[in-house]
Amino acid sequence: MVSAVVYPLSGTADLSRIEAPVTFKAYLLCGFAAFGGIFFGYDTGWMSGVLGMPYFITLYTGLQYNYETGEPVDVPKTEFGLPSSQKSLMTSILSCGTFFGALIAGDVADFLGRRPTIIIGCLVFCVGCILEIISTNQEVLFVMGRLVSGVGVGFISAVIILYMAEVAPRKVRGALVSGYQFCITLGILLANCVTYASSNRNDTGSYRIPVGVQFLWAIILGIGLFILPESPRYYVMKGKIDLAARSLSQVRGQPLDSDYIKDELAEIVANHEYEMQIIPQTSYIGSWIACFQGSLRKGNSNLRRTLLGSGMQMMQQLTGINFIFYFGTTFFQQLGTIQNPFFISLVTTLVNVLSTPISFIAVEKLGRRVLLNWGGVGMVITQFIVAIVGVTEGRPEAQNDAAVKVMIAFICIYIFCFASTWGPVGWVIIGECFPLPIRSRGVGISTACNWFWNCIIAVITPYMVGNTPGSANLGPRVFFIWGSLCIGSTLFAYFLVPEMKGLTLEQIDTMMEETTPRKSRSWKPTSTFAAQMGRVRDEKGSANQQEFAPESEP
């Protein structure tokens, strides 16, 4: 066990030296951490395909299917499917588990560390997969497996963002955290490929193969995290400055005695001291209450930050994107105008994957606000076009193939608008907006909010578009709803989301205190936290400076 030692660290007042130059190692480290998005994406993607598989439908409904002709027996093609209630339960229960997993993950990450929490999430996830695989027509067992898997995904989705935001260099932090969203889209694509390949199997392998592939992602991420360093900001929060120095040296690819390491560590420590004066350590309950303290009028209040992070995740879900990836296959089947719904779902997923890398460059060149605002406008326009065409020339009785192609085209453009803007930037914002004392809980609350609204959408959407008794059967008209909600998302981004491009996590604290979201793009830092806290060394670099004597990590 390493004792907590507080070093009288001194840093620099030079804003250009508070972080080491970006190295290839930093890209590799964050790139591997982003692999956790595979869990999120794959688990989102395979469910859509499995719900439309003939064998799975027969297993849970008793409706028969002729595999030679490719047609259901004794029922119309548009009515061959699971009831809305079953689709709702099987899909939404995952999000229920992830909601609680994300909330719990914040506490575990502060107690054990970021890395062990993600590894625990991988183990829990595997238990859930086992329950899903061993179920046959046992709905309770399958649902329980989805719930347990959700807890594991909740651990991973919350803490991966926290970890990446804390270790990524400020100049490319947005691009690297966007890699998490790219891995989500890649996971969805992989899931669609696997379900497309196994969709016509007349045995349990049709759905067990897509479920079983998930073990591979858990093994890769779990083993890899034994190699990655712990977050240096976690060690600072725990008072283990020696271990923080060693971890920062590994993350930045610099020698332990480098001035870059000393200056950045001094800045992190000084910022933590400053934040602790504002957010003192209290009881366990008090630490949660701290996330909701402060005034809504004050830009850097904890309440304002929590509402920003939670609101960002809520608005991301209300764009309706998971309607496509959760229920795309069954929705295209119900339209009755698309010959191969599985293939169209694969195409929309491919668009999602190819569009996301655009954000890697755009989020750092154009900034967070520009992407959110213009992405929101694009989603509003494309969704209303899909809805208008769908209720006119795109109706099944119109038999207008050109109109159907227009709908599919604009659904793909809508996915492009989301995948290159709101998809990645939503995760970037929550990783950046919280101060260190409440960061793990703030990110956990925001991620839980994502999964809460994800769950709500998964519950109600089958009833909105389903054609079974008790469902609204909105069909393409549902895009009027998503388009209207996208207007709210765009207004939220314009008025409430500040620009954080190019700033350290510590500088973001100052920016949110000194300016408003609409004026944040022009804000520039004027001093370091080391200078504010009186921790600046003299020109010779000797005053107040104590050399590190790091101990080994336990």
Side-chain angles (χ1 to χ4, degrees), residues 322-352:
N322 277 334
F323 163 68
I324 298 295
F325 297 124
Y326 275 147
F327 304 107
T329 302
T330 54
F331 173 71
F332 294 140
Q333 286 174 336
Q334 290 171 2
L335 287 179
T337 54
I338 296 176
Q339 295 298 319
N340 194 336
F342 282 93
F343 179 73
I344 297 301
S345 292
L346 188 59
V347 170
T348 58
T349 306
L350 186 61
V351 171
N352 193 30

Side-chain angles (χ1 to χ4, degrees), residues 40 94-106 150 153-155 157-159 288 292 306 309-311 313-314 317 427 430 434 440-456:
F40 186 163
L94 174 85
S95 302
C96 180
T98 50
F99 171 79
F100 291 105
L103 286 179
I104 297 169
V153 174
F155 269 55
S157 61
V159 184
W288 280 100
F292 302 94
T306 301
S310 301
Q313 292 297 297
M314 178 184 73
Q317 288 301 305
W427 296 108
I430 69 167
F434 294 101
S440 63
R441 285 180 171 81
V443 173
I445 291 171
S446 299
T447 307
C449 187
N450 176 292
W451 289 110
F452 173 80
W453 286 99
N454 192 307
C455 182
I456 294 297

Side-chain angles (χ1 to χ4, degrees), residues 275-308 434-435 437-438 445:
E275 294 291 351
M276 290 302 293
Q277 293 174 4
I278 303 173
I279 315 170
Q281 289 292 316
T282 59
S283 64
Y284 174 77
I285 300 297
S287 65
W288 280 100
I289 295 175
C291 296
F292 302 94
Q293 290 178 336
S295 169
L296 281 175
R297 295 183 179 181
K298 192 175 180 181
N300 72 331
S301 72
N302 290 346
L303 175 61
R304 183 80 172 263
R305 294 171 193 252
T306 301
L307 291 179
L308 170 62
F434 294 101
I438 66 166
I445 291 171

